[in-house]
Amino acid sequence: MEEDPDDAWHAKPGPADPGLVREVVAAARAERPAAPLERVAVAAYEAGVTPLGLMRACYAAQDTVVAESPAGEDDPAWEALADLMDRLTGFCPPGAHIEPLPRK
């Protein structure tokens, strides 16, 4: 079955853009990561990244945080990424969903 690039809900870890992963990790490590992560997500969508591509970058960023932090999944950056992923899939309060740009 072919993957739908617009289906962030069913994204599985896979190949991710290394530059985007670095941006996501840096934003997740900010003192207050919610706004920087949202900016990275919106900019990625504006640049044409698909929801699947953005979710894969988030999975890779979580793997990076776990590998680099002694706290692993307890690292606040990992939690911030999980929150972003919830916002990307719509598993969040109304109005918090970060949606891709409408197709032209």
Side-chain angles (χ1 to χ4, degrees), residues 42-49 101:
V42 169
Y45 282 149
E46 287 174 349
V49 175
L101 299 172

Side-chain angles (χ1 to χ4, degrees), residues 8 41 45 54-55 58 83-90 97-98:
Y45 282 149
L54 187 50
M55 284 296 285
C58 290
D83 290 343
L84 174 64
M85 293 163 80
D86 285 347
R87 293 183 69 193
L88 295 174
T89 60
H97 187 197
I98 302 172

Side-chain angles (χ1 to χ4, degrees), residues 13-86:
D17 177 303
L20 181 55
V21 173
R22 284 190 296 278
E23 287 182 55
V24 172
V25 169
R29 289 187 172 143
E31 187 173 331
R32 292 187 175 98
L37 282 169
E38 181 174 341
R39 283 192 296 274
V40 169
V42 169
Y45 282 149
E46 287 174 349
V49 175
T50 64
L52 179 63
L54 187 50
M55 284 296 285
R56 285 192 167 156
C58 290
Y59 279 117
Q62 282 185 318
D63 291 345
T64 299
V65 167
V66 168
E68 294 178 358
S69 172
E73 290 182 12
D74 291 330
D75 188 296
W78 192 94
E79 287 296 327
L81 289 163
D83 290 343
L84 174 64
M85 293 163 80
D86 285 347

